[in-house]
């Protein structure tokens, strides 16, 4: 189960107060943690990402003695990351209610079918694509936290369903459902944008 | 025939469901292509240094208050010891018994004195004539 023995060794040293081991850990995982936190907080609150990502690593340092090498390090790290982001969003009063999607897009035409191919794009379609990416970013920021976290961990961190399930404390079918609902919402947001243009 | 159709339908349904649910990360999905175009947040170059500095600061503050961890139980122990040592000792007998005992002692002394007086008077055989004028009596 252990994915990286060096992390376990670093954590053990960090638990004994060795700061150099902690530095190694931060340098190796800062992009993943910062990226996940920044995406979770959204582009409007990216300035808060640094503080929250630092909190994640400080918690890692404090909890280093409790880490068991049987557990996968990334799962443990992203679980701490999730807790810090959840706490921050709740404190900031930006916690979404995780409500089920009423209408699903089954059987309907995919709005993205009309999307121009990026390789054959001219200036106008390039602009449209850029705007759609912006719309997508906003739609991601409006997703309920569990859906957003599942999407980020799957899409950008390439975690498998089992890992995401452990991070989010859900079942694997639950994670698949979260991802399905997240993507449905994103498609709906893009559909709405395309119909408006 | 109908069983074959049912099986065929089930297989189609499962494959479609599997495509929808399991193949989320299909690279051909236009949504994935768009999601990949969202620029990745870049970690500030000073992030690691600031994190370590913050850790040092918090550890320093933590160690500054570490004495409090010992001060509380030690203070509690000292207080408990003071309470035990400093409390005046309680009387050996309950107050009520002590009063009764005191009254009983006074009565005994009085009776003894009266008896001594009576004996003295009888001894002198001057009762009661010389009693009033007697100046030798003393309590």
């Amino acid at each position: 189960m252990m994915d990286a023995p060096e992390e376990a060794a670093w954590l053990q040293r960090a638990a004994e107060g060795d700061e150099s081991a902690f530095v190694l850990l931060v340098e190796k995982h800062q992009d993943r943690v910062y990226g996940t936190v920044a995406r979770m907080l959204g582009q409007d609150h990216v300035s808060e990402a640094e503080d929250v990502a630092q909190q994640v690593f400080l918690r890692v340092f404090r909890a280093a003695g409790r880490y068991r090498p049987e557990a996968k390090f990334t799962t443990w790290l992203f679980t701490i990351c999730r807790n810090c982001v959840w706490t921050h969003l709740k404190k900031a009063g930006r916690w979404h209610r995780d409500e089920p999607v009423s209408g699903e897009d089954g059987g309907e035409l995919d709005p993205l079918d009309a999307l121009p191919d990026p390789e054959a794009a001219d200036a106008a379609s390039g602009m449209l694509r850029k705007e759609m990416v912006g719309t997508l970013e906003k739609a991601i920021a409006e997703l309920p936290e569990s859906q957003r976290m599942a999407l980020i961990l799957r899409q950008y961190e390439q975690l498998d369903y089992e890992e995401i399930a452990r991070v989010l404390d859900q079942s694997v079918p639950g994670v698949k459902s979260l991802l399905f609902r997240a993507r449905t919402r994103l498609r709906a947001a893009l559909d709405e944008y395309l119909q408006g243009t | 025939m109908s069983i074959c159709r049912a099986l065929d339908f089930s297989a189609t349904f499962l494959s479609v469901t599997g495509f929808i649910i399991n193949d989320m990360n299909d690279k051909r999905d236009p949504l994935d292509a768009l999601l990949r175009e969202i620029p990745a947040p870049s970690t500030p170059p000073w992030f690691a240094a600031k994190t370590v500095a913050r850790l040092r600061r918090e550890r320093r503050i933590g160690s500054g208050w570490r004495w409090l961890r010992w001060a509380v139980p030690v203070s509690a122990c000292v207080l408990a010891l003071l309470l035990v040592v400093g409390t005046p000792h309680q009387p050996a007998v309950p107050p009520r018994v002590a009063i009764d005992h005191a009254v009983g002692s006074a009565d005994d002394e009085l009776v003894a004195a009266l008896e001594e007086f009576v004996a003295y008077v009888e001894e002198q055989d001057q009762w009661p004539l010389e009693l009033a004028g007697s100046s030798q009596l003393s309590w």
Side-chain angles (χ1 to χ4, degrees):
Chain A
M1 195 67 184
M2 186 169 57
D3 52 342
E6 58 183 2
E7 268 89 351
W10 289 342
L11 279 172
Q12 196 178 351
R13 283 168 53 197
E16 291 160 4
D18 185 350
E19 282 182 9
S20 61
F22 178 68
V23 173
L24 292 171
L25 204 68
V26 174
E27 284 174 348
K28 185 169 179 185
H29 293 282
Q30 60 181 357
D31 290 340
R32 302 185 83 179
V33 170
Y34 182 85
T36 304
V37 170
R39 285 188 172 109
M40 278 302 294
L41 297 183
Q43 57 182 353
D44 294 340
H45 303 282
V46 78
S47 58
E48 300 163 14
E50 190 180 332
D51 177 53
V52 178
Q54 281 177 1
Q55 283 177 32
V56 173
F57 283 110
L58 294 180
R59 274 203 203 182
V60 165
F61 184 83
R62 284 196 289 265
R66 295 197 294 275
Y67 172 71
R68 295 286 164 266
E70 298 84 44
K72 201 168 180 179
F73 176 74
T74 46
T75 310
W76 189 71
L77 179 67
F78 281 118
T79 305
I80 292 176
C81 185
R82 181 207 70 175
N83 288 339
C84 286
V85 171
W86 263 219
T87 305
H88 179 80
L89 289 174
K90 281 177 183 169
K91 271 188 191 168
R94 299 203 301 269
W95 184 259
H96 292 86
R97 206 155 53 86
D98 195 358
E99 52 194 16
V101 181
S102 54
E104 293 182 353
D105 64 348
E108 289 178 15
L109 285 175
D110 191 340
L112 297 170
D113 288 343
L115 197 63
D117 183 359
E119 288 170 14
D122 56 10
S125 64
M127 186 67 80
L128 173 67
R129 212 174 163 85
K130 207 173 175 182
E131 284 180 7
M132 285 183 78
V133 169
T135 306
L136 201 56
E137 274 189 276
K138 279 182 195 155
I140 290 172
E142 285 168 11
L143 286 175
E145 282 71 23
S146 301
Q147 293 179 24
R148 201 179 337 151
M149 192 82 177
L151 185 82
I152 289 166
L153 293 178
R154 180 73 182 152
Q155 187 72 32
Y156 299 107
E157 300 303 328
Q158 274 84 44
L159 263 60
D160 56 36
Y161 293 123
E162 286 78 13
E163 267 191 276
I164 299 171
R166 276 192 219 102
V167 170
L168 295 179
D169 198 20
Q170 300 241 358
S171 62
V172 171
V175 168
K176 288 179 180 176
S177 169
L178 282 175
L179 284 167
F180 181 75
R181 282 151 60 190
R183 296 171 75 90
T184 304
R185 279 188 179 220
L186 295 185
R187 283 176 197 281
L190 288 172
D191 191 23
E192 197 177 324
Y193 169 77
L194 287 173
Q195 281 176 3
T197 54
Chain B
M1 191 67 183
S2 60
I3 292 172
C4 287
R5 271 191 180 176
L7 284 173
D8 188 38
F9 174 76
S10 303
T12 309
F13 176 77
L14 285 174
S15 66
V16 169
T17 312
F19 176 75
I20 292 170
I21 302 292
N22 290 322
D23 203 15
M24 293 292 183
N25 206 23
D26 188 349
K27 300 290 184 278
R28 292 167 299 174
D29 191 334
L31 180 61
D32 286 314
L34 272 181
L35 284 169
R36 279 196 299 277
E37 283 183 36
I38 295 176
S42 55
T43 313
W46 57 81
F47 180 79
K50 277 183 83 175
T51 306
V52 174
R54 186 170 167 181
L55 174 74
R56 285 186 187 144
R57 199 167 55 245
E58 290 200 359
R59 288 180 85 190
R60 201 166 47 242
I61 293 167
S63 65
W65 288 96
R66 197 169 292 160
W67 62 271
L68 199 64
R69 216 183 296 168
W70 295 103
V72 171
V74 166
S75 307
C77 287
V78 168
L79 198 66
L81 198 67
L82 283 175
L83 282 172
V84 169
V85 173
T87 307
H89 292 291
Q90 297 293 317
V93 288
R96 177 74 193 166
V97 177
I99 291 167
D100 290 349
H101 176 74
V103 171
S105 304
D107 286 349
D108 290 345
E109 283 175 15
L110 184 63
V111 168
L114 283 171
E115 282 174 353
E116 195 180 343
F117 172 69
V118 170
Y120 172 77
V121 170
E122 283 174 356
E123 196 180 324
Q124 294 296 317
D125 198 24
Q126 290 176 347
W127 175 265
L129 295 174
E130 291 179 16
L131 180 61
S134 174
S135 60
Q136 294 176 5
L137 290 177
S138 64
W139 295 95

